[in-house]
Amino acid sequence: MNKMFVIAQMERAHTDAIAHGLALAKQLNKQAEVFAYTYAYLSGADRDNPRLAGVAQKALMTQREKQLQAHLDTLDAEDVPLHVIWSKYLFEHACSHAQCHGFDLIVKAVHHADHYLPTDWQLIRHTTVPLLLLTNNPLNNGQTTLISIDLGTRNLAKQRLNDAVIAHGKQLAKATGTKLHVAYVLRIPQIVRDMDLLDINALVKKAYAEHKQKIAEMGVDADCMHIITGEPELCLFELACRLKSQYFVVGARQRQGLLGRMIGNTAEAILSRMRSNVLVIPTEE
């Protein structure tokens, strides 16, 4: 184990996944390997010519390999294994290969700073290996790692996922020299808050008292434990912005149904807003 699967960034990406991934691999004491994906369609009469298709494929892969090897040379990382893969669906190869060959972290750059591409969502929904999505958004330039857990759950699978999120969050914060913050959101719809039917402060104090032992076990500083009320996607986004969190760690329960592999609506809403580097920890279900 201790192997990192670094997905090379696309052209004109705003984040250098290779440079960031290799630096993080050193911090986490992992062996990095770089995987670059390329694919192209032929159009017109040449589309069904297998010989021409083979020549074009080889030329594109050779060109991509030369570009990336030159980039690795500039990073003094010429010995890092580089694999150029011809694949129409990046997520299918990445998820399968990472699981089958003992990788314990996938690193990929987010192409646009303000939203994920379909490929990113496919990785989130299918990966069985922790997935780190990188962005250089200016909102995440603080020295903090924020993790989100559900202290109130009685579901054993969610409790195991909480423990995994805490463990990975601690490891990431220690390796990167960032301050660990923990968030637990008491879900209260905005309409209920507006009607002033509940004593919000009393609910928060009660939650701190109920989960005092678990908070102590995590070993997090008192001022770094945040129990907040509201809708999770809004609360966590606002907290991450206030802390300028460099990393955000969240668990994702992936489900299979009639519509294919999915994650929970809450997790998807949270990830849609987040502008930090996001580490997604998949459930072991």
Side-chain angles (χ1 to χ4, degrees):
M1 302 295 279
N2 278 338
K3 294 169 63 179
M4 180 185 291
F5 189 110
V6 180
I7 299 176
Q9 65 275 8
M10 297 184 293
E11 294 183 10
R12 296 183 296 277
H14 76 290
T15 302
D16 188 340
I18 295 178
H20 196 147
L22 295 184
L24 192 60
K26 290 183 179 180
Q27 293 173 316
L28 293 169
N29 194 27
K30 295 183 183 295
Q31 295 179 341
E33 295 185 29
V34 176
F35 293 80
Y37 293 88
T38 184
Y39 190 81
Y41 292 95
L42 289 177
S43 59
D46 298 327
R47 180 175 52 190
D48 299 322
N49 186 330
R51 180 176 177 277
L52 183 60
V55 171
Q57 176 180 334
K58 183 177 180 180
L60 288 170
M61 293 179 69
T62 300
Q63 181 185 38
R64 181 81 163 132
E65 182 176 9
K66 288 181 178 179
Q67 292 173 343
L68 292 175
Q69 191 61 59
H71 185 42
L72 287 171
D73 291 345
T74 64
L75 298 172
D76 292 327
E78 56 275 0
D79 294 332
V80 173
L82 170 62
H83 312 275
V84 180
I85 311 297
W86 184 266
S87 177
K88 183 177 181 181
Y89 299 109
L90 179 157
F91 77 93
E92 290 183 347
H93 177 273
C95 292
S96 174
H97 192 89
Q99 180 184 19
C100 294
H101 291 82
F103 289 88
D104 49 20
L105 181 62
I106 299 175
V107 177
K108 181 185 180 299
V110 177
H111 190 67
H112 298 290
D114 56 349
H115 68 274
Y116 294 153
L117 293 178
T119 296
D120 301 319
W121 286 115
Q122 294 283 18
L123 282 169
I124 292 169
R125 291 165 182 154
H126 290 82
T127 184
T128 57
V129 174
L131 168 67
L132 178 61
L133 295 171
L134 300 171
T135 174
N136 66 356
N137 193 292
L139 293 177
N140 70 351
N141 60 3
Q143 294 299 308
T144 63
T145 292
L146 174 64
I147 69 174
S148 172
I149 59 175
D150 183 1
L151 287 175
T153 185
R154 296 184 179 180
N155 183 292
L156 292 179
K158 288 185 177 180
Q159 289 175 356
R160 290 195 298 269
L161 188 55
N162 278 341
D163 293 339
V165 169
I166 293 168
H168 281 88
K170 284 184 173 181
Q171 181 190 39
L172 183 62
K174 181 178 180 180
T176 58
T178 53
K179 185 75 171 179
L180 182 67
H181 286 251
V182 181
Y184 167 44
V185 180
L186 294 170
R187 184 192 289 270
I188 300 178
Q190 185 61 45
I191 189 171
V192 176
R193 292 169 58 89
D194 293 341
M195 293 173 68
D196 201 22
L197 298 174
L198 299 173
D199 186 339
I200 301 299
N201 290 332
L203 288 174
V204 172
K205 290 180 180 179
K206 181 181 178 181
Y208 272 110
E210 287 180 349
H211 305 296
K212 182 178 180 181
Q213 181 177 350
K214 183 65 176 180
I215 294 172
E217 291 174 355
M218 286 189 289
V220 65
D221 294 341
D223 60 340
C224 296
M225 181 69 221
H226 308 272
I227 297 182
I228 47 185
T229 61
E231 296 292 350
E233 62 270 23
L234 290 174
C235 292
L236 293 171
F237 172 68
E238 292 171 356
L239 179 60
C241 289
R242 178 159 58 86
L243 296 174
K244 295 184 177 179
S245 298
Q246 187 173 359
Y247 296 97
F248 174 71
V249 187
V250 65
R253 298 187 70 197
Q254 301 153 321
R255 302 177 177 90
Q256 282 190 320
L258 294 176
L259 299 179
R261 186 66 72 97
M262 300 173 63
I263 61 173
N265 291 335
T266 299
E268 190 150 333
I270 291 170
L271 293 173
S272 295
R273 288 182 177 271
M274 201 56 60
R275 297 295 175 263
S276 304
N277 300 314
V278 172
L279 177 58
V280 179
I281 310 299
T283 183
E284 294 182 356
E285 293 177 296

